[in-house]
């Protein structure tokens, strides 16, 4: 199930060997992302109201530091209990616990991540984030790739399989 039109990543030279990871640093605000989301929400059992609310709210990430081995960010979801949290993730492909408050208030679109974990690493396509989501008793893998598209945009492409 393709969320945003990406193809599965191909292993090759890592993206961070071609693009400076520091280019991810800065304040990034999610733009409205509607492509394929209605189909995803229907399949996932998310109400139209919950989807609309999740997509309407500005999601801000201030990436403080990004290296080949880690990423430190401040995540802000103002309409969800005034959520703001700074955390660091390893970029080594190891599954780690999602920060507890983020898992509680920020995970509207992926409520089936029962383990409460995620993984981040570089591959040929970009900075990969991965979570395992259980839907109707079946495990699926959600993969999101972030790539720098100039100083004004970080693109996020995803696959739900």
């Amino acid at each position: 199930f393709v969320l945003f039109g990406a193809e599965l990543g191909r292993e090759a030279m890592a993206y961070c060997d071609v693009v400076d990871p520091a280019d991810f640093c800065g304040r990034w605000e999610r733009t409205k992302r509607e492509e394929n989301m209605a189909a995803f929400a229907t399949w996932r059992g998310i109400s139209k109201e919950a989807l609309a609310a999740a997509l309407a709210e500005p999601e801000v990430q201030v990436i403080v530091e990004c290296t080949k081995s880690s990423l430190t960010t401040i995540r802000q979801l103002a309409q969800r209990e005034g959520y703001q949290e700074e955390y660091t993730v390893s970029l080594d492909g190891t599954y780690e616990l999602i920060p507890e408050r983020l898992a509680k208030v920020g995970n509207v679109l992926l409520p089936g991540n029962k383990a409460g974990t995620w993984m981040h690493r570089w591959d040929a396509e970009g900075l990969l984030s991965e979570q395992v989501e259980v839907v109707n008793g079946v495990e699926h893998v959600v993969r999101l790739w972030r790539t720098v598209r100039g100083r004004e945009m970080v693109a996020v492409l995803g696959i739900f399989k």
Side-chain angles (χ1 to χ4, degrees), residues 115-161:
T117 60
W118 58 8
M119 178 277 293
H120 299 81
R121 69 178 173 86
W122 298 103
D123 72 3
E125 303 298 321
L127 177 55
L128 170 63
S129 299
E130 183 177 288
Q131 296 184 42
V132 176
E133 169 88 355
V134 178
V135 179
N136 299 323
V138 178
E139 281 192 358
H140 299 271
V141 178
V142 178
R143 293 185 178 106
L144 299 173
W145 284 270
R146 288 166 175 80
T147 58
V148 175
R149 302 288 168 95
R151 293 302 308 155
E152 300 297 319
M153 184 169 77
V154 169
V156 179
L157 302 173
I159 289 186
F160 192 85
K161 183 175 182 186

Side-chain angles (χ1 to χ4, degrees), residues 1 3 36-48 50-51 109:
F1 188 88
L3 280 179
N36 293 326
M37 290 304 290
F40 168 74
T42 299
W43 176 76
R44 187 59 200 92
I46 299 169
S47 73
K48 289 181 183 180
L51 176 64
L109 298 177

